[in-house]
């Protein structure tokens, strides 16, 4: 018997669960489902987004609905249209083997009469945003006087968005006898007030610690000078070739400006904020979901309810005014048990906010240093090398090979590799050669075990290791693995930096023989580990300098090579993902999907809008003719041209 069967779910739900590929219940599901199935009760469940809440209330709800009765029996309120649609689709998926269950989504910005018509046809479950629901009640288009279940999803978000009045009115219209299930990531006073006013002895379940962040998210901060914020963002993107991120800014203006700069600089980015029309926002979200946008730059309000799996990073380009908002931001990553990283780019004057956030999320931040140009080049090159190693050769290239061989016949393997890498990286290297290191020095503020310790590089050796996040390591688990395998002390392994297919770490020079000897003879799940001494020292690189050194570099003013003219393919809507490095590949496993990755095209030949390079060519983009130019690999060489 699998764990879902033990929860008491019906055969038809178990069949749907099998189709969904859920192997075992998440914590909130394990806790909530048996209680909700057992009896009609009120419940307050404290759980972050991404923990499987929809199924936690969706499964028992579907089981309890009387499919032979077409009256509205349940109302699910959720903060945004986006979330509303997601829940609706989730319920449809879960109930696919249940005959006669109808679910209708009700939200603003779409035809109210059509929604009313759908409900009239007999919808047992309505999923609604509070504003539109209130509107429908006022116009007499919906009758919730006989509902048995009311679910408030992301209650804290709904209240944050100013829906208190609507929620109170809606709940007052519904029968007192119904069961209310309230799901919330945090428990601010307003949520507690709703619970007190409208619920009867609710059972309380908590997933993780109250108000605390998700344990699958690690928190990092990068201390920079204010003028370097944007440059730091770019470097973070460059040093994480598979980044798939939401970047948070404080205002609509900053959001738009950062997105525009990123697009101009060759990144696959787009803005999401309230000044966009609904259709524009839908377009952006569709592209983001489809992984055609790699970095979504968003305001807090616009990003509410973003529920996209496999987001690798949340970047706080600026910290929110309300520290509590940080929790909502970081909850966009690390979903469904996957690992995620929440990054804060912070200036000295904001540093104290980090401690306040730590208190709220009850987790520690790791201080990291903005990667140096050398480190980025190394990461990118190794990423490319890994991609070359992993790429499946398409039989379709067969016919072209004789001519290509003829051109390259005189090159040795070594020369070929050198030239191939140079095609990709010459401009990239030139760009970063010119650019100084960024990390703001704040001795005393740094923490000793930060994974990028500020200890002097003198006497340290940096290593490259051929295992990474796809072997299920993050920097902490890799550090533990290395300490154990090498029998080293707690502080002997540092500056651990885990990429998808490889990693870096440092030890003091005295351990280097031991490291090379032991690690090169270790196997990990049948695979030989390979460790090499890296050229870089890591954690800010060899160029880590003092304030004087840095200031002479100028405020990020000397940006690298201007892209070749034709490469501004992002024009117009501008979601360019022509940075080949950018194919999303983390957790979601799209990296393993066949992709037309890394051609070594010149960006000059690139047709406008290469967004497709990012990610799943194999998923939903079949209408796109594969183009050599869209690999984006060469764009890696394309560095920002100005600050
Ligand atoms: P939610 O918190 O409901 O938005 O769920 C977050 C993500 O986790 C969604 O993509 C779900 O499909 C997925 N999910 C929910 N429950 C499970 C489970 N038991 N096993 C694996 N994935 C799940």
């Amino acid at each position: 018997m699998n764990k879902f069967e033990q929860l008491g779910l019906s055969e038809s739900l178990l069949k749907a669960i099998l189709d969904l590929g859920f192997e075992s219940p998440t914590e909130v599901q394990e806790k909530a489902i048996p209680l909700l199935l057992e009896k009609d009760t009120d419940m307050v469940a404290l759980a972050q987004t991404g923990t499987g809440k929809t199924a936690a209330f969706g499964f028992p709800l579907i089981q309890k609905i009387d499919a032979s009765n077409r009256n509205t029996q349940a109302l699910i309120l959720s903060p945004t249209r986006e979330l509303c649609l997601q829940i609706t689709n989730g319920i449809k998926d879960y109930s696919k083997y249940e005959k006669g269950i109808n679910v209708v989504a009700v939200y603003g910005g779409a035809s109210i009469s059509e929604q009313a018509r759908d409900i009239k046809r007999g919808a047992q479950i309505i999923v609604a945003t509070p504003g539109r629901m209130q509107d429908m009640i006022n116009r007499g288009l919906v009758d919730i006087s006989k509902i048995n279940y009311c679910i408030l999803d992301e209650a804290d978000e709904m209240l944050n968005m100013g829906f208190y009045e609507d929620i109170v009115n809606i709940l007052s219209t519904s029968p007192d006898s119904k069961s209310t299930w309230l799901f919330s990531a945090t428990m601010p006073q307003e949520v507690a007030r709703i619970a007190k006013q409208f619920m009867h002895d609710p059972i309380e379940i908590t997933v993780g610690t109250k108000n605390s962040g998700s344990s699958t998210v690690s928190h990092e901060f990068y201390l920079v000078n204010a003028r370097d914020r944007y440059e730091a963002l770019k470097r973070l993107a460059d040093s994480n070739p598979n980044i798939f991120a939401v970047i948070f800014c404080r205002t609509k203006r900053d959001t738009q400006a950062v997105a525009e700069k990123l697009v101009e600089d060759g990144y696959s980015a787009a803005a999401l904020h309230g000044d966009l029309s609904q259709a524009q926002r839908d377009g952006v979200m569709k592209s983001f979901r489809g992984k055609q946008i790699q970095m979504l730059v968003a305001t807090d309000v616009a990003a509410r309810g973003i529920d996209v799996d496999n987001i690798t990073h949340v970047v706080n380009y600026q910290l929110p005014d309300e520290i509590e908002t940080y929790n909502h931001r970081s909850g966009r990553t690390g979903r469904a048990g996957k690992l995620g990283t929440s990054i804060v780019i912070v200036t000295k004057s904001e540093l104290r906010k980090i401690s306040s956030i730590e208190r709220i999320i009850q987790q520690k931040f790791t201080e990291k240093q903005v990667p140096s140009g050398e480190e980025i080049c190394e990461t990118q090159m190794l990423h490319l090398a890994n991609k070359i190693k992993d790429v499946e050769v398409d039989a379709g290239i067969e016919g072209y090979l004789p001519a290509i061989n003829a051109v390259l016949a005189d090159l040795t393997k070594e020369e070929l590799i050198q030239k191939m890498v140079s095609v990709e990286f010459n401009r990239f290297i030139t760009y970063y050669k010119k650019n100084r290191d960024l990390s703001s020095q704040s001795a005393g503020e740094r923490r000793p075990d930060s994974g990028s310790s500020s200890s002097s590089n003198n006497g340290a050796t940096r290593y490259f290791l051929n295992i990474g996040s796809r072997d299920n390591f993050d920097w902490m688990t890799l550090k533990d693995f290395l300490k154990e395998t090498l029998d080293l002390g707690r502080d002997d392994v540092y500056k651990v930096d885990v990429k998808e297919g490889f990693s870096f770490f440092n030890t003091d020079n005295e351990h280097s023989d031991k490291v090379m000897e032991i690690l090169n003879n270790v196997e990990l799940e049948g695979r030989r580990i390979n460790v090499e001494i890296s050229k870089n020292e890591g954690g800010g690189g060899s160029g880590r300098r003092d304030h004087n050194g840095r200031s002479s570099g100028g405020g990020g003013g000397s940006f690298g090579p201007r892209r070749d003219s034709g490469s501004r393919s992002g024009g117009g809507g501008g979601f360019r993902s022509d940075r080949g490095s950018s194919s999303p590949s983390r957790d979601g496993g799209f990296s393993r999907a066949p992709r037309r990755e890394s051609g070594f095209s010149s960006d000059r030949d690139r047709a406008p809008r290469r967004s497709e390079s990012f990610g799943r060519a194999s998923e939903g983009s079949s209408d796109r003719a594969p183009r050599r130019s869209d690999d984006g690999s060469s764009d890696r060489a394309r560095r920002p041209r100005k600050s």
Side-chain angles (χ1 to χ4, degrees):
M1 202 153 67
N2 78 20
K3 274 200 158 180
F4 276 114
E5 286 165 18
Q6 291 166 3
L7 299 181
L9 293 168
S10 67
E11 282 302 317
S12 53
L13 278 167
L14 292 173
K15 215 166 139 199
I17 291 169
L18 204 66
D19 287 357
L20 286 163
F22 295 177
E23 284 172 7
S24 55
T26 64
E27 189 182 345
V28 66
Q29 290 162 5
E30 208 166 356
K31 286 184 171 165
I33 293 172
L35 293 170
L36 294 177
L37 284 178
E38 190 190 322
K39 56 178 181 175
D40 283 333
T41 177
D42 285 354
M43 172 179 280
V44 170
L46 286 169
Q48 291 282 317
T49 56
T51 50
K53 283 182 294 134
T54 317
F57 62 74
F59 292 163
L61 183 66
I62 290 164
Q63 198 153 321
K64 283 174 170 245
I65 291 290
D66 177 1
S68 62
N69 174 351
R70 295 175 84 85
N71 285 341
T72 301
Q73 298 165 43
L75 171 66
I76 302 169
L77 290 177
S78 83
T80 62
R81 161 198 159 110
E82 170 86 6
L83 204 56
C84 189
L85 285 168
Q86 263 165 226
I87 295 171
T88 307
N89 290 333
I91 303 270
K92 281 183 184 163
D93 284 344
Y94 308 155
S95 62
K96 66 194 236 196
Y97 296 114
E98 272 323 311
K99 279 213 178 71
I101 290 199
N102 295 312
V103 51
V104 169
V106 164
Y107 50 83
S111 160
I112 196 166
S113 46
E114 258 176 49
Q115 292 170 350
R117 214 175 311 133
D118 287 344
I119 292 171
K120 275 233 162 65
R121 280 198 203 111
Q124 295 96 344
I125 305 173
I126 297 175
V127 188
T129 51
R132 173 54 65 97
M133 192 64 204
Q134 180 64 49
D135 199 3
M136 290 192 105
I137 292 172
N138 291 345
R139 296 194 204 185
L141 296 174
V142 64
D143 177 14
I144 56 164
S145 64
K146 295 190 187 65
I147 59 169
N148 301 321
Y149 305 98
C150 180
I151 292 139
L152 305 173
D153 191 29
E154 306 227 354
D156 51 352
E157 285 278 15
M158 287 198 282
L159 296 172
N160 261 340
M161 291 173 77
F163 285 131
Y164 182 81
E165 296 284 318
D166 287 328
I167 292 173
V168 166
N169 285 336
I170 293 166
L171 289 175
S172 308
T173 317
S174 63
D176 195 40
S177 57
K178 72 184 176 303
S179 299
T180 304
W181 306 340
L182 183 151
F183 286 76
S184 194
T186 57
M187 200 63 187
Q189 267 181 4
E190 270 185 317
V191 176
R193 204 158 75 208
I194 295 256
K196 192 158 173 235
Q197 199 177 342
F198 291 98
M199 298 173 80
H200 308 290
D201 296 327
I203 302 175
E204 188 175 317
I205 62 169
T206 303
V207 177
T209 321
K210 230 185 233 190
N211 287 344
S212 79
S214 154
S215 59
T216 50
V217 179
S218 51
H219 303 265
E220 299 175 349
F221 73 88
Y222 292 80
L223 184 59
V224 299
N225 294 319
R227 64 182 179 192
D228 290 334
R229 227 184 257 280
Y230 176 67
E231 175 67 10
L233 174 65
K234 286 192 304 185
R235 290 195 182 199
L236 292 172
D238 287 341
S239 65
N240 290 286
N242 291 322
I243 195 169
F244 179 48
V246 184
I247 320 280
F248 283 99
C249 295
R250 230 175 344 225
T251 64
K252 290 185 233 178
R253 223 170 113 190
D254 288 345
T255 302
Q256 184 66 31
V258 170
E260 278 177 14
K261 272 207 263 184
L262 285 171
V263 170
E264 199 170 305
D265 286 340
Y267 295 81
S268 150
L272 187 74
H273 55 69
D275 283 352
L276 303 179
S277 68
Q278 187 63 52
Q280 283 172 319
R281 269 186 280 169
D282 287 349
V284 170
M285 279 314 296
K286 191 160 175 253
S287 303
F288 188 54
R289 262 179 217 298
K291 269 81 189 183
Q292 286 141 14
I293 293 170
Q294 197 171 359
M295 288 189 278
L296 180 71
V297 191
T299 57
D300 288 297
V301 174
R304 277 195 180 125
I306 288 185
D307 199 3
V308 176
D309 287 344
N310 302 325
I311 288 175
T312 60
H313 293 76
V314 161
V315 181
N316 292 265
Y317 184 76
Q318 295 148 333
L319 276 171
D321 290 327
E322 304 267 327
I323 289 300
E324 287 74 14
T325 306
Y326 177 84
N327 220 358
H328 289 295
R329 290 183 174 186
S330 59
R332 303 291 158 223
T333 186
R335 299 166 55 79
K338 307 262 170 61
L339 297 177
T341 306
S342 177
I343 287 175
V344 181
I345 301 175
V346 73
T347 60
K348 226 171 186 172
S349 62
E350 300 165 317
L351 208 50
R352 64 192 157 71
K353 285 194 181 176
I354 295 287
S355 308
S356 314
I357 296 173
E358 284 179 334
R359 273 196 298 281
I360 288 176
I361 62 172
Q362 295 170 30
Q363 284 182 54
K364 283 276 172 211
F365 272 82
T366 301
E367 180 177 359
K368 293 236 169 174
Q369 292 195 331
V370 179
S372 68
E374 269 185 32
E375 282 175 288
I376 290 172
C377 290
E378 185 172 28
T379 299
Q380 291 278 356
M381 283 190 215
L382 288 166
H383 179 72
L384 173 66
N386 267 278
K387 280 206 296 189
I388 292 173
K389 201 180 80 188
D390 291 346
V391 72
E392 282 172 35
V393 175
D394 191 316
I397 64 166
E398 194 81 14
Y400 306 99
L401 289 179
I404 293 171
N405 280 332
V407 174
L408 302 174
D410 293 338
L411 300 178
T412 63
K413 178 183 170 189
E414 210 152 77
E415 286 168 336
L416 195 60
I417 292 175
Q418 280 170 0
K419 282 179 184 277
M420 200 171 67
V421 171
S422 299
V423 166
E424 289 287 289
F425 286 108
N426 274 357
R427 275 176 298 170
F428 198 87
I429 291 169
T430 313
Y431 170 72
Y432 270 118
K433 242 187 229 160
K434 280 193 260 162
N435 284 279
R436 75 218 149 82
D437 291 333
L438 293 184
S439 277
S440 179
Q441 299 289 297
S442 72
E445 300 288 1
R446 295 196 187 289
R447 298 154 195 227
D449 194 21
S450 64
S452 79
S453 119
S454 63
S455 72
S456 155
N457 283 329
N458 291 339
T461 305
R462 186 143 179 90
Y463 308 87
F464 158 82
L465 190 63
N466 68 335
I467 54 178
S469 60
R470 74 171 165 210
D471 305 294
N472 287 327
F473 283 105
D474 61 13
W475 75 264
M476 251 183 294
T477 47
L478 184 63
K479 183 170 171 158
D480 287 343
F481 168 76
L482 292 169
K483 275 186 322 193
E484 268 171 42
T485 311
L486 297 165
D487 193 22
L488 288 174
R490 191 177 141 60
D491 296 325
D492 292 337
V493 177
Y494 47 96
K495 293 182 183 168
V496 180
D497 191 8
V498 177
K499 306 295 179 196
E500 192 201 0
F502 54 94
S503 308
F504 300 102
F505 67 96
N506 280 22
T507 69
D508 288 346
N509 290 344
E510 61 187 281
H511 301 302
S512 70
D513 287 346
K514 183 175 179 180
V515 171
M516 298 302 286
E517 197 184 310
I518 295 181
L519 280 188
N520 276 321
N521 287 301
V522 168
E523 282 196 354
L524 187 77
E525 288 170 8
R527 190 155 66 95
R528 193 70 176 261
I529 289 185
N530 174 36
V531 63
E532 277 165 37
I533 293 184
S534 156
K535 184 164 160 281
N536 293 309
E537 293 163 320
S542 51
R544 196 186 299 144
R545 277 160 288 167
D546 58 21
H547 286 93
N548 297 332
R550 253 194 326 284
S551 62
S552 67
S558 56
F559 286 107
R562 205 192 154 89
R563 285 199 314 265
D564 290 352
S565 50
S567 66
R568 292 290 309 284
S569 50
F575 317 133
R576 309 181 56 250
S577 60
D578 38 355
R579 305 176 57 260
S581 50
S582 48
S583 306
S585 61
R586 285 268 294 274
D587 329 317
F590 353 108
S591 66
R592 269 146 260 173
R595 305 172 288 168
R596 74 252 141 296
E597 292 312 45
S598 49
F600 305 106
S601 64
S602 141
D603 35 309
R604 234 171 280 121
D605 57 5
R606 197 163 289 132
R609 200 158 180 289
R610 266 199 56 261
S611 49
E612 64 278 22
S613 74
F614 183 44
R616 13 171 142 181
S618 60
E619 299 174 44
S621 49
S622 50
D623 52 332
R624 278 186 219 124
R627 290 178 291 153
R628 257 196 69 255
S629 54
D630 67 8
D631 59 280
S633 49
S634 60
D635 334 314
R636 206 178 288 114
R638 241 183 261 137
R639 280 310 79 193
R641 355 172 249 150
K642 63 181 175 60
S643 64

